[in-house]
Amino acid sequence: MSDVTQSAPLVAPRSVRGQQWLQHVSLLIIVLVLAVFAWLSPFFLTVMNLGNVLQQTAVVGTLALGLTLVLSGGGLQGITGGIDLSIAANLGLSAAVFASQLNAGQPIAIALLLTLFTGAAVGLFNALAIVWLGILPLLATLTSMNIAIGLEMVLTSNASVSASSDLQNLLLSNGPLAVSWLGWSFLLLAFGMIALSRLTSFGLRLQAVGSHPQAANAAGIGVKRYQGLSYVLCGVSAAIAAIASVSLLSGSSPGANDNLLMVIAAALLGVVFSRRLVPTLGGALISALFLSLIANGFQLINVSSYWINGVEGVLILLVVALTALLRRRQSRRTQGV
């Protein structure tokens, strides 16, 4: 017993140093990338451009926040844990509902309620399939993704639907610092969700459910209830992102599922900003802004935005590989103890 007690302090510092190394390298990469874009384009760090980036991040960032809730509640394993591949398709379907209702002359309140209901319904479908029926998350959400895409095509005949409303005009109008109210609304939503996850019993229990489900169940926390609720909230976040998307595009258009890779990248890259190497809402916010800045920088220096897909893929691979390596080293040291 004494050997274990004496060796335990040696494991923790090494583990902490590995995590700090990953975080410091990640922050250095972010600073270097931003510095390169600022050097190549004087317009990159202007208030106007940064406000535009914040506005453009509203859609993907909101989706990334919702996906992070699922990752937090489902655990670290994407196959047996939590993942939602339908979130971008849910965005497309919800945007089609919102735009079609406005196009048909429905009151804005009705359009908003139907949009939120659509997003929540897809999330509830995922929750029932995964949490209560026991279907693997990848398979269940892949199925709901195709269902959502099909319903969107039926609703819109696979064509763009124009829409306009006072709400859209308000969201795109400038607020403080010449940043649109859509950008400020996104930041308010993000900080509100971060506060929810860190300062409320719901957020703390959701993290406990994802990290230690057996212990949470033994403590009387409804593991299935919290996991199911995370999928519903993810669906609601898709509906909120759909409202932002319709505002930016003045309607809905096919191809919303193209956002999926960037959403997954933003959620997974948030791992590097966590002391426990797990997805966090704050990390997802930073990652989403970083990816948007990269896309914006490519545009300013006249580099094809298609390169962003390759950058996202490389970043996902690096983060997953490095975090897996650190966790494996931690596990070996723990077993050696």
Side-chain angles (χ1 to χ4, degrees):
M1 177 66 103
S2 61
D3 293 338
V4 174
T5 304
Q6 292 174 0
S7 61
L10 299 177
V11 177
R14 292 179 182 177
S15 173
V16 171
R17 283 198 298 270
Q19 296 173 14
Q20 290 177 342
W21 173 83
L22 177 60
Q23 293 169 351
H24 292 162
V25 170
S26 302
L27 291 174
L28 178 61
I29 291 175
I30 291 176
V31 171
L32 289 176
V33 169
L34 298 184
V36 169
F37 282 134
W39 177 63
L40 294 175
S41 175
F43 184 68
F44 181 69
L45 291 181
T46 62
V47 175
M48 180 180 297
N49 186 58
L50 293 178
N52 179 59
V53 170
L54 179 60
Q55 175 179 281
Q56 296 298 324
T57 310
V59 176
V60 171
T62 302
L63 295 177
L65 293 173
L67 181 59
T68 302
L69 289 177
V70 170
L71 295 173
S72 298
L76 303 178
Q77 300 298 324
I79 297 178
T80 60
I83 190 68
D84 186 357
L85 298 180
S86 68
I87 186 170
N90 192 355
L91 159 72
L93 176 60
S94 299
V97 170
F98 186 56
S100 62
Q101 291 301 308
L102 292 178
N103 188 272
Q106 293 290 343
I108 186 67
I110 299 297
L112 288 173
L113 287 175
L114 288 176
T115 303
L116 293 174
F117 175 81
T118 300
V122 176
L124 181 60
F125 176 87
N126 289 330
L128 292 174
I130 296 167
V131 178
W132 280 278
L133 295 181
I135 302 175
L136 289 177
L138 284 176
L139 179 59
T141 57
L142 183 63
T143 300
S144 59
M145 178 185 75
N146 283 280
I147 292 175
I149 292 175
L151 291 175
E152 178 190 359
M153 294 177 65
V154 170
L155 182 62
T156 64
S157 298
N158 201 28
S160 299
V161 179
S162 61
S164 62
S165 66
D166 293 338
L167 175 62
Q168 295 168 255
N169 296 332
L170 174 63
L171 289 174
L172 295 181
S173 62
N174 285 338
L177 302 177
V179 178
S180 70
W181 286 110
L182 177 59
W184 288 116
S185 298
F186 166 62
L187 280 183
L188 181 63
L189 174 67
F191 290 138
M193 293 181 67
I194 293 172
L196 177 69
S197 68
R198 294 192 174 189
L199 304 178
T200 67
S201 59
F202 167 79
L204 297 176
R205 289 178 179 178
L206 183 63
Q207 294 178 36
V209 165
S211 301
H212 306 286
Q214 295 180 347
N217 189 53
I221 300 176
V223 173
K224 288 187 175 182
R225 183 171 68 253
Y226 277 88
Q227 289 178 340
L229 186 57
S230 70
Y231 280 98
V232 175
L233 291 176
C234 184
V236 172
S237 72
I240 296 174
I243 297 170
S245 176
V246 171
S247 299
L248 287 171
L249 302 177
S250 297
S252 69
S253 60
N257 204 49
D258 294 341
N259 294 311
L260 182 60
L261 179 60
M262 191 170 183
V263 174
I264 294 176
L268 292 182
L269 289 177
V271 169
V272 303
F273 302 103
S274 167
R275 290 177 296 178
R276 297 186 296 116
L277 296 178
V278 296
T280 62
L281 293 172
L285 172 62
I286 296 173
S287 300
L289 289 170
F290 175 58
L291 292 175
S292 294
L293 284 168
I294 292 178
N296 177 259
F298 281 169
Q299 292 177 353
L300 292 178
I301 62 177
N302 295 321
V303 174
S304 174
S305 60
Y306 293 119
W307 280 97
I308 189 64
N309 290 330
V311 172
E312 292 164 0
V314 171
L315 290 175
I316 291 175
L317 179 62
L318 287 176
V319 170
V320 171
L322 288 174
T323 52
L325 176 61
L326 289 175
R327 288 176 185 143
R328 188 159 52 246
R329 293 173 60 183
Q330 293 173 15
S331 177
R332 289 175 180 173
R333 292 184 184 124
T334 302
Q335 293 175 359
V337 173

